[in-house]
């Protein structure tokens, strides 16, 4: 049986169609499930192997991005989410989904070996520019991160599309702790650096870092490496024809062959989780 | 921690007004009306209102009086909404509040923002408050320096809307003299002319009508207020397009022509499209639905619609533009049995953002209009999850009087639903239940349709302005598309202009009747009178018909999505538009009279070519300086900082983005999307607009707009054999009257534009499948009157066989060979260069030959060949040559590639140097080809005008010569700097 992915939608989530599509291209069976179907018991989260919280503007991002959907999940899906994480099943939050996972407390989550406690430990603030922007960025991954979503990935480019993506931890110690456990999985880098040498703790200038995140953080994982969230949109580079350089003939080729030579660099992230489920269930 | 909200205000004061303020701090406020004890709410502040990591929260106290504000500000401004105005953050807060306090069901939350200013020098607090709010929809309180020092902080109360007074339906006696009839129309904001009032009067004199009405217990001899309002909405210029349907007596003093045109629309738009429909099998639905539908492949069809929202955007740029974009999204949702919106386009016409002249009363500065309109479509589009893939911003002084805000949307739907019904055909039958779905009906949005058919005055009603609510709409879109796929929908349309009166009234034509009960309609506030409920244009509503057997399933789906869906009417076959309020019949109008009873207008049109002082090329000139100046012109300058704030990539389908090239800051000619994930089959979306050509000839203006839309699309790889267009006319009032003494001329401009539209569209085999017109784009009267230049926006959507073979405007590689496809003519009239020279010296003119499309058949053949070279992969670089001519086009291509070029304009046409360098002749595209593809390219282009210009060079210099004469030698980085500076009104990121 193919790994089953629940792609959440409703209340202003709006990347549900493409998120479903990339999981299918990566070899999974994906379903768009309205949040309320999980809350009402119409659908059971335990029937799925992967949960994806896609990008969008849940509840218009009023009162802080991801806040209101995060609250719905924190209060109405608490047990189902805890069981899902405890069962060792992967979760990804992209853009608004990342904001939701941070506001629910699933990211960065408690220390290793602990069940989710739904305590918010970090946050995402307004971009320093004060503007929502859609622009392509270069990302590099921490090779020592426990994150199962990013295994084997070194550097990719994909777009950011957000106004509230500045990752913040309340204290330098808390941030350092995440760094030590390699939970600062993915960061904005200067594309002119050599691959593997881009990661930097010094804040990059706008627009290399589009938002002013602490240590240029673009995404983080929990202590298990199964729950992962990031502001940029890897699904938006599932095919090379979506890369801004494709007419120049210089759009990088992805690692798989879902679209022959036209697979984009972002698809591997979804394939990683699908393969993980196949090997670990 | 940085206060970004405050920083944004500080930067904008600097960028727009040159005011330097040291620091601005912001506070988000929530006013709660509910049953929950305030201590209980206070204990949960960090669970809802404040982020525990990055914000401070407090309850029952003003932050300004806490130790967080230990330094006394110089000034404080608090801005909140006026009662009854849509407050989206408040609505979301209420939703979140109910998650925490589900028992407090009737709680309501209103939001406000407080700004504390430090280091303001001598700013006037009232002026400052004026820049921060729009008093039509918002209220502001101010604390000046003295008040701040005394700790007297502004505190807003919860905005309780005034009680609405329910007015019993009454009848209005029309047995009166003409003067009284006219004043009934004027005083009631009905916008009905005397002839139309006479037609209504006559209806109520009909004995048969009187007998029927008596039988239904409704005033037999006179319309009810409900009926009169309903007729006014349905017969409004906005809904019935009376000018386009009019009988026009047209006289041409140039040619001596004296003729009668029976409906511009039928003659020049509908007939040509219907003729083309006979030749192709892909024109599925044209004109009659909310958008035009074409078959895209065997499984999917696509549709497109563009609308304008000019008058609301003039009053409240933010709310007006937002309702524009979410409104046109609903046109797509209401097409056939429901299409999914997948791409937006935005085209704006504004006054110059750097305008330093005087402003007439009640008009905003163009920079404020730009900011507000941009923010409205940004929020509307982004929050709806629909990418903005194409657009334009045009500037001219006359748009100060009325900004033009065009919003377009492309939709996609399966050609057949799972139950086998073709999705582009509505299938209602008598007995179907009609639901109102989405938002509720409120006092906001009353008289929008009739108001937009009047010119802007000081008394324009604030109730005509609304703010959209994208999230309520997004929930509704999700729900309706599920309902469609489950086969639950038999008919659907948008609630836009005219509200329920139009939406149910139009759908009732299918079954020939309906019966509405206004007492069942859910209201935002109690006390609305029946006529207000019927015509209110409150946003985010669709009208959906459902078979009785499907009602339970439909309502369950609405419940799941938390969308309100209420049965309010039933389709009948009685031939009557029957409206009740409870048991009482309040309107009883024959469907035929409602839709076809409006008398045809009889109008006069007279063409005399306008006299313009001709453009004369200057003697002494530095083309390098001209190029730099032209790139800085608002009409040419980069719009990147604005466009980048639109999500142009959601749905993961955008293959050619609005900005292209190495630094992703070169201009994209058209949007290309591949909407089926994993499939490179594409769709091209483009537009053309050239309003200033109307100063010489509005016909030429129309032809130029169409050619530009096609050219832009060809540049990225359009299949010219499958394209469709949308015509959106925005005109000044073309009806001769005391207020409009030049009405005959303005109508003649409209006639000429329509004739060119037909000629060019027939030649291009380009059917217009949908369109709209907005005909009262004037401000004021007499000497102070401002009329916009007649403006046609032509939008295009068409097939792209494979997005992997697309081209973009950026130069790719040194050595690539540069060609001009097309010819330059001696056509500098109304060019951007001419306008620049006139601004420099008012003795200069802009007259002369305006670009003409003499042989469109030849152009189409050339475009077809060029498209084929792109589809073969021979050409990866192509750019439309328009405003600013060849010089600007090539400069933009260098900027996109951040690379130099060496170009010789000798041999590019018959015109003089000025025409060849700066002229805007139509039909021209600049192309670059790799040397190894040059022979194959030339072979495909054989027989079509294709002239070598030069090549891309491994330098950072653009060099242009005319034979032996050096014209331009400019550093590409400096050109980029010039091009990107003018409209970067962000104030930076510091």
């Amino acid at each position: 049986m193919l790994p089953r992915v629940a792609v959440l939608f409703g209340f202003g989530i709006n990347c549900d169609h493409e998120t479903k599509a990339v999981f299918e291209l990566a070899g999974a069976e994906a379903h768009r499930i309205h949040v309320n179907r999980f809350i009402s018991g119409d659908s059971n989260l335990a029937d799925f192997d992967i949960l994806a919280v896609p990008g969008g503007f849940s509840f218009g991002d009023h009162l802080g991005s991801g806040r209101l959907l995060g609250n719905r999940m924190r209060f109405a899906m608490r047990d189902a989410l805890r069981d899902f994480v405890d069962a060792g099943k992967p979760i990804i939050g992209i853009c608004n989904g990342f904001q939701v996972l941070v506001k629910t407390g699933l990211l960065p989550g408690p220390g290793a070996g602990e069940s989710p406690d739904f305590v918010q430990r970090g946050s995402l603030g307004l971009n320093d520019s004060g503007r929502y922007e859609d622009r392509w960025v270069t990302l590099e991954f921490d090779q020592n991160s426990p994150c199962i979503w990013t295994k084997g990935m070194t550097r990719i480019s994909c777009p950011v599309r957000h106004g509230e993506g500045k990752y913040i931890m309340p204290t330098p110690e808390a941030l350092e702790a995440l760094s030590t456990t390699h939970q600062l999985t993915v960061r904005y880098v200067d594309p002119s650096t050599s691959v593997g040498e881009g990661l930097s703790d010094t804040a990059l200038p706008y627009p290399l870092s589009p938002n002013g995140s602490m240590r240029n953080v673009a995404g983080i994982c929990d202590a298990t490496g199964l729950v992962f969230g990031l502001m940029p949109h890897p699904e938006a580079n599932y095919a090379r024809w979506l890369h801004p350089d494709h007419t120049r003939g210089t759009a990088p080729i992805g690692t798989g062959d879902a679209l022959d030579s036209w697979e984009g660099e972002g698809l591997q992230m979804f394939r990683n989780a699908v393969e993980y489920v196949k090997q670990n269930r | 921690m940085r206060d970004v909200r405050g920083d944004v205000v500080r930067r904008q004061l600097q960028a727009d007004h040159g005011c330097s303020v040291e620091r601005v701090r912001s506070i988000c406020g929530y006013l709660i009306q509910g049953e929950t004890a305030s201590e209980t709410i206070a204990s949960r502040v960090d669970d809802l209102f404040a982020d525990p990591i990055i914000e401070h929260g407090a309850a029952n106290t003003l932050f300004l009086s806490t130790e967080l504000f230990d330094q006394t500000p110089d000034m404080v401004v608090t801005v909140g909404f006026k009662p009854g105005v849509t407050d989206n953050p408040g609505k979301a807060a209420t939703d979140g509040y109910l998650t925490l306090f589900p028992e407090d069901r009737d709680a309501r939350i209103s939001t406000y923002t407080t700004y504390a200013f430090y280091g303001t020098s001598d700013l006037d607090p009232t002026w400052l408050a004026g820049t921060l709010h729009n008093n039509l929809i918002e209220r502001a309180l101010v604390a000046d320096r003295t008040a701040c020092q005394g700790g007297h902080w502004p505190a807003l109360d919860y905005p309780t809307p005034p009680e609405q007074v329910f007015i019993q339906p009454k009848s209005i006696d029309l047995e009166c003299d003409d003067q009284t009839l006219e004043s009934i129309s004027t005083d009631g904001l009905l916008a009905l002319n005397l002839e139309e009032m006479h037609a209504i009067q006559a209806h109520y004199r009909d004995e048969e009508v009187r007998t029927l009405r008596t039988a239904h217990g409704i005033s037999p001899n006179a319309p009810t207020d409900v009926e009169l309002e309903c007729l006014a909405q349905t017969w409004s210029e906005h809904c019935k397009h009376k000018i386009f349907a009019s009988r026009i007596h047209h006289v041409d003093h140039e040619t001596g022509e004296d003729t009668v045109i029976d409906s511009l629309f039928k003659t020049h738009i509908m007939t040509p499209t219907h003729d083309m429909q006979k030749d192709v099998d892909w024109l599925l639905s044209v004109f009659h639905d909310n958008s035009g539908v074409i078959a895209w492949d065997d499984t999917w069809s696509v549709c497109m619609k563009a609308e304008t929202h000019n008058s609301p955007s003039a009053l409240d740029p933010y709310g007006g533009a937002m309702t524009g974009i979410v409104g046109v999204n609903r046109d797509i949702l209401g097409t056939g049995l429901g299409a999914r919106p997948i791409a937006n386009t935005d085209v704006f016409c504004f006054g110059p953002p750097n305008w330093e002249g005087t402003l007439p009363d009640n008009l905003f500065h163009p920079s404020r209009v730009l900011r507000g309109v941009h923010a409205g479509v940004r929020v509307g589009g982004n929050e709806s999850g629909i990418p903005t893939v194409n657009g334009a911003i045009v500037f001219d002084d006359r748009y100060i009087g009325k900004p033009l805000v065009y919003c377009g949307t492309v939709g996609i739907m399966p050609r057949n639903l799972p139950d086998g019904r073709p999705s582009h055909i509505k299938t209602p039958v008598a007995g179907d239940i009609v639901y109102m779905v989405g938002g509720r009906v409120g006092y906001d949005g009353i008289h929008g349709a009739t108001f937009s058919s009047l010119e802007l005055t000081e008394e324009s009603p604030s109730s005509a302005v609304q703010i959209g609510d994208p999230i309520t709409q997004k929930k509704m879109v999700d729900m309706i598309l599920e309902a469609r796929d489950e086969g639950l929908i038999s008919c659907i349309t948008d609630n836009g202009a005219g509200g329920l009166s139009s939406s149910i009234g139009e759908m009732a034509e299918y079954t020939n009747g309906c019966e509405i009960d206004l007492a069942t309609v859910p209201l935002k506030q109690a006390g609305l009178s029946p006529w207000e409920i019927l015509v209110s244009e409150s946003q985010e509503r669709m009208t959906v018909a459902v078979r009785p057997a499907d009602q339970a399933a439909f309502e369950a789906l609405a419940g799941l999505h938390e969308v309100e869906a209420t049965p309010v009417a039933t389709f009948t076959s009685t031939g009557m538009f029957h409206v009740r309020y409870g048991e009482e019949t309040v309107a009883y109008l024959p469907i035929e009279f409602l839709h076809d009873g409006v008398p045809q207008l009889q109008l006069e049109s007279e063409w005399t070519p306008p006299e313009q002082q001709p453009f004369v090329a200057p003697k002494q000139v530095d083309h390098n300086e001209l190029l730099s100046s032209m790139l800085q012109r608002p009409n040419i300058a980069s719009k990147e900082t604005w466009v980048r704030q639109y999500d142009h990539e959601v749905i993961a389908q955008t293959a050619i983005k609005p900005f292209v090239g190495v630094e992703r800051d070169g201009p994209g000619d058209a949007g290309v999307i591949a909407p089926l994930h994993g499939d490179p089959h594409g769709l091209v979306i483009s537009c053309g607009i050239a309003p200033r050509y109307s100063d010489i000839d509005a016909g030429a203006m129309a032809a130029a707009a169409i050619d530009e839309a096609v050219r832009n699309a060809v540049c990225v790889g359009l299949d010219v054999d499958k394209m469709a267009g949308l015509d959106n006319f925005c005109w000044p009032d073309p009806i001769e009257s005391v207020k409009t003494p030049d009405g005959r001329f303005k109508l003649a401009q409209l006639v000429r534009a329509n004739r060119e539209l037909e000629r060019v569209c027939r030649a291009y085999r380009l059917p217009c499948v949908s369109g709209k017109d907005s005909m009262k784009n004037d401000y004021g009267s007499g000497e102070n009157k401002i009329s916009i230049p007649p403006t046609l926006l032509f939008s295009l959507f068409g097939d792209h066989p494979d997005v992997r073979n697309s081209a973009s405007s950026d130069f790719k590689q040194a050595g690539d060979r540069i060609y001009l496809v097309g010819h330059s003519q001696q056509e500098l009239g109304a060019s951007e260069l001419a306008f620049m020279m006139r601004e420099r010296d008012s003795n200069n003119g802009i007259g002369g030959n305006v670009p003409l499309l003499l042989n469109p058949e030849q152009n189409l053949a050339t475009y077809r060949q060029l498209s084929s070279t792109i589809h073969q992969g021979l050409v990866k670089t192509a750019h439309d040559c328009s405003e600013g001519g060849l010089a600007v086009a090539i400069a933009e291509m260098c900027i996109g590639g951040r690379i130099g070029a060496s170009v010789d304009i000798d041999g590019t046409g018959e015109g003089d140097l000025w025409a060849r360098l700066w002229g805007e002749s139509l039909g021209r595209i600049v192309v670059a080809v790799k040397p190894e593809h040059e022979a194959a390219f030339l072979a495909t282009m054989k027989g079509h005008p294709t002239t070598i210009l030069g090549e891309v060079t491994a330098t950072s210099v653009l060099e242009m010569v005319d034979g032996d004469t050096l014209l331009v030698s400019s550093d590409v980085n400096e050109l980029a700097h010039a091009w990107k500076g003018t409209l970067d009104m962000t104030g930076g990121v510091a």
Side-chain angles (χ1 to χ4, degrees), chain B residues 820-862:
Chain B
L820 176 69
V821 174
H823 278 306
S824 303
Q825 316 285 339
Q826 189 63 39
E827 294 174 324
L828 284 157
S831 64
E832 190 63 28
L833 179 77
F835 274 94
M836 182 170 83
M837 294 322 235
R838 190 172 74 174
E839 278 168 37
R840 287 182 176 186
D841 179 351
S842 58
N843 292 320
N844 292 331
I846 57 104
N849 295 338
V850 70
L852 294 179
L853 202 53
L854 294 175
N855 190 350
E857 289 81 4
Q858 169 61 45
N859 285 22
L860 179 67
T862 303

Side-chain angles (χ1 to χ4, degrees), chain A residues 72 123 129 134 242 247-248, chain B residues 51 562 649 657 808 810:
Chain A
R72 285 230 182 177
S123 197
S129 69
D134 176 343
L242 301 177
T247 58
R248 303 184 65 83
Chain B
D51 184 301
E562 299 182 21
E649 297 186 90
K657 305 176 208 299
S808 57
D810 48 308

Side-chain angles (χ1 to χ4, degrees), chain B residues 256-277:
Chain B
E257 181 191 2
D258 186 324
T259 186
V260 169
I261 304 159
D262 184 10
S263 173
L264 287 172
F265 173 67
K266 282 188 183 145
T267 311
H268 297 300
I269 300 173
M270 195 167 86
T271 306
T273 294
H274 282 156
D275 288 347
M276 287 181 238
Q277 204 170 15

Side-chain angles (χ1 to χ4, degrees), chain A residues 9 14 17-18 36 67 71-72 74 120 123 128-129 131-132 134 136 161 238 242 245-248, chain B residues 11 46-48 50-51 95 385 482 560 562 644 647-649 651 655 657 678 808 810-812:
Chain A
F9 87 107
N14 61 34
H17 288 274
E18 62 263 41
N36 277 354
R67 182 77 209 301
N71 267 0
R72 285 230 182 177
R74 190 155 66 105
Q120 183 180 338
S123 197
D128 278 352
S129 69
R131 296 194 293 280
Y132 175 104
D134 176 343
W136 280 61
R161 310 195 302 253
Y238 83 85
L242 301 177
D245 292 340
H246 81 89
T247 58
R248 303 184 65 83
Chain B
R11 285 185 210 130
D46 280 353
D47 267 331
L48 181 61
D51 184 301
D95 197 294
E482 273 194 45
L560 172 81
E562 299 182 21
R644 204 158 279 300
D647 189 334
H648 50 261
E649 297 186 90
I651 311 183
K657 305 176 208 299
S808 57
D810 48 308
F811 279 139
K812 304 295 186 299

Side-chain angles (χ1 to χ4, degrees), chain A:
Chain A
M1 196 175 81
L2 296 176
R4 299 186 76 220
V5 185
V7 177
L8 220 52
F9 87 107
F11 302 118
I13 289 174
N14 61 34
C15 297
D16 41 323
H17 288 274
E18 62 263 41
T19 305
K20 174 179 186 283
V22 291
F23 275 108
E24 285 171 347
L25 283 168
E29 173 194 319
H31 299 270
R32 292 165 59 240
I33 311 281
H34 195 281
V35 181
N36 277 354
R37 287 202 193 271
F38 284 131
I39 293 175
S40 70
D42 230 15
S43 291
N44 188 352
L45 188 56
D47 294 340
F48 294 89
D49 303 304
I50 295 173
L51 172 65
V53 190
F57 273 89
S58 55
F59 294 97
D61 277 357
H62 299 300
L63 283 75
S65 55
R67 182 77 209 301
L68 295 171
L69 183 58
N71 267 0
R72 285 230 182 177
M73 291 170 65
R74 190 155 66 105
F75 295 117
M77 289 177 64
R78 198 180 190 95
D79 294 343
L81 282 169
R82 186 194 294 112
D83 293 347
F84 197 84
V85 173
D86 285 345
K89 294 179 175 180
I91 299 179
I92 191 168
I94 301 170
C95 194
N96 196 224
F98 178 36
Q99 294 161 336
V100 167
L101 295 183
V102 168
K103 307 288 169 88
T104 57
L106 286 173
L107 283 175
E114 292 175 51
S115 265
D117 54 7
F118 299 94
V119 172
Q120 183 180 338
R121 291 179 170 81
S123 197
L124 289 144
L126 293 167
N127 297 350
D128 278 352
S129 69
R131 296 194 293 280
Y132 175 104
E133 284 193 336
D134 176 343
R135 63 167 70 246
W136 280 61
V137 293
T138 308
L139 303 175
E140 207 162 287
F141 301 92
D142 180 345
Q143 297 304 307
N144 296 314
S145 175
C147 184
I148 66 105
W149 293 86
T150 60
K151 283 278 173 278
M153 298 178 76
T154 51
R155 178 180 283 196
I156 69 168
S157 49
C158 66
V160 287
R161 310 195 302 253
H162 63 248
E164 283 180 64
K166 179 181 180 173
Y167 189 74
I168 292 163
M169 287 299 279
T171 63
E173 295 75 27
L175 186 64
E176 181 55 30
L178 289 184
S179 171
T180 308
T181 50
H182 298 282
Q183 284 175 255
L184 305 179
T185 307
V186 55
R187 298 200 249 171
Y188 305 106
V189 297
D190 182 341
S192 67
T193 56
S194 306
V195 175
E197 290 170 14
L199 294 177
S200 165
D201 286 351
T202 312
L204 290 169
Y206 167 90
L208 293 177
S209 165
N211 47 36
S213 274
M214 290 179 169
R215 297 196 190 184
N216 310 308
V217 167
I220 61 170
C221 66
D222 73 346
T224 68
L226 288 162
V227 185
F228 173 55
L230 74 170
M231 288 310 302
H233 287 270
E235 82 283 5
N237 187 10
Y238 83 85
R240 286 173 59 220
W241 62 71
L242 301 177
H243 195 288
D245 292 340
H246 81 89
T247 58
R248 303 184 65 83
T250 53
I253 301 178
T255 40
D257 57 359
L259 299 163
D260 301 321
S261 63
W262 281 86
E263 180 176 317
E265 295 170 304
L267 198 58
Q268 185 59 34
M269 194 176 283
F270 305 93
R271 187 180 288 119
N272 276 338
V274 172
E275 292 304 319
Y276 175 86
V277 169
K278 282 185 185 164
Q279 283 156 22
N280 288 277
R281 68 176 173 195

Side-chain angles (χ1 to χ4, degrees), chain B residues 864-866 868-869 872 874 935-944:
Chain B
R864 185 178 285 113
Q865 290 311 103
L866 182 57
S868 141
T869 67
Q872 293 170 59
L874 300 174
F937 166 74
L938 288 173
T940 308
M941 295 306 294
K942 195 169 174 10
H944 299 275

